[in-house]
Amino acid sequence: QVQLQESGPGLVKPSQTLSLTCTVSGGSIRSGDYFWSWIRQPPGKGLEWIGHIYYSGSTYYNPSLKSRAAISVDTSKNQFSLKLSSVTAADTALYYCARYNDYNYSFDYWGPGSLVTVSS
Amino acid sequence: ESVLTQSPGTLSLSPGERATLSCRASQSVSSSYVAWYQQKPGQAPRLLIYGASSRAIGIPDRFSGSGSGSGTDFTLTISRLEPEDFVVYYCQQYGGSPRYTFGPGTKVDIK
């Protein structure tokens, strides 16, 4: 059973960089059929896909984030990470890591989420 | 940009009743690229349906999805509502820009 777990600071100051890591267990991040994704959900609102990475390092991002997002992968640790720069209060959200299954075009495993608040 | 619209925003029903949730895409999308998720309070979304009509592993058969070929209208049906089904449901599509988008959600609450 694949499990994902987010980790990182719960509070970030405005204009600084948000950093989160997702640790994958129960399966290899090197599996060829999957993309490793970040999705966020502002309190009481809907879901927004941020971006994803393939184990080779190829990335794809939501254009709405205007190049503020950067996703990296560490296959030796079975982890992938998100950095979001120049954060504002609008970036306050529950951040989920998830596995995108390229076979059935869906997000089939999710982490429990990590709440990040942007505040001074 | 391809946008998903879900209706109704809130659906008020009683346990045992049938729920019909709608998801409409602003541009035609292959049914292969449409999924549905359930989100309970304080939890991450859970995959219910992929490919518009295929149930994910462990999902009870009271959940079904429809929408065939390429189109704009997709439906999630819960045949007989159980108490744990009164939560929020999202549809999601692959394709366009951004590559993955979610609908705003439908909340099913107890009448």
Side-chain angles (χ1 to χ4, degrees), chain A residues 5-29:
Chain A
Q5 179 67 57
E6 306 88 352
S7 59
L11 182 64
V12 181
K13 288 182 167 53
S15 79
Q16 293 192 344
T17 297
L18 175 161
S19 295
L20 292 169
T21 294
C22 182
T23 300
V24 179
S25 58
S28 174
I29 207 166

Side-chain angles (χ1 to χ4, degrees), chain A residues 10-77:
Chain A
L11 182 64
V12 181
K13 288 182 167 53
S15 79
Q16 293 192 344
T17 297
L18 175 161
S19 295
L20 292 169
T21 294
C22 182
T23 300
V24 179
S25 58
S28 174
I29 207 166
R30 292 190 184 92
S31 296
D33 292 327
Y34 309 115
F35 291 80
W36 303 94
S37 300
W38 289 97
I39 295 164
R40 68 180 181 179
Q41 184 173 36
K45 296 189 177 180
L47 299 160
E48 179 184 35
W49 174 74
I50 297 170
H52 71 210
I53 192 163
Y54 194 57
Y55 75 93
S56 64
S58 298
T59 53
Y60 196 89
Y61 299 104
N62 189 327
S64 71
L65 292 167
K66 295 188 171 74
S67 303
R68 293 194 297 127
I71 300 174
S72 58
V73 64
D74 186 336
T75 56
S76 67
K77 294 182 179 178

Side-chain angles (χ1 to χ4, degrees), chain B residues 10-62:
Chain B
T10 300
L11 187 57
S12 297
L13 294 167
S14 300
E17 288 193 299
R18 181 184 188 90
T20 303
L21 287 67
S22 174
C23 176
R24 175 165 290 178
S26 61
Q27 300 174 21
S28 181
V29 59
S30 169
S31 61
S32 298
Y33 300 156
V34 174
W36 289 90
Y37 302 83
Q38 177 192 66
Q39 187 174 33
K40 297 180 177 180
Q43 296 186 19
R46 176 176 70 148
L47 176 65
L48 292 177
I49 300 286
Y50 63 89
S53 59
S54 296
R55 274 187 299 277
I57 296 170
I59 302 303
D61 60 6
R62 66 178 183 274

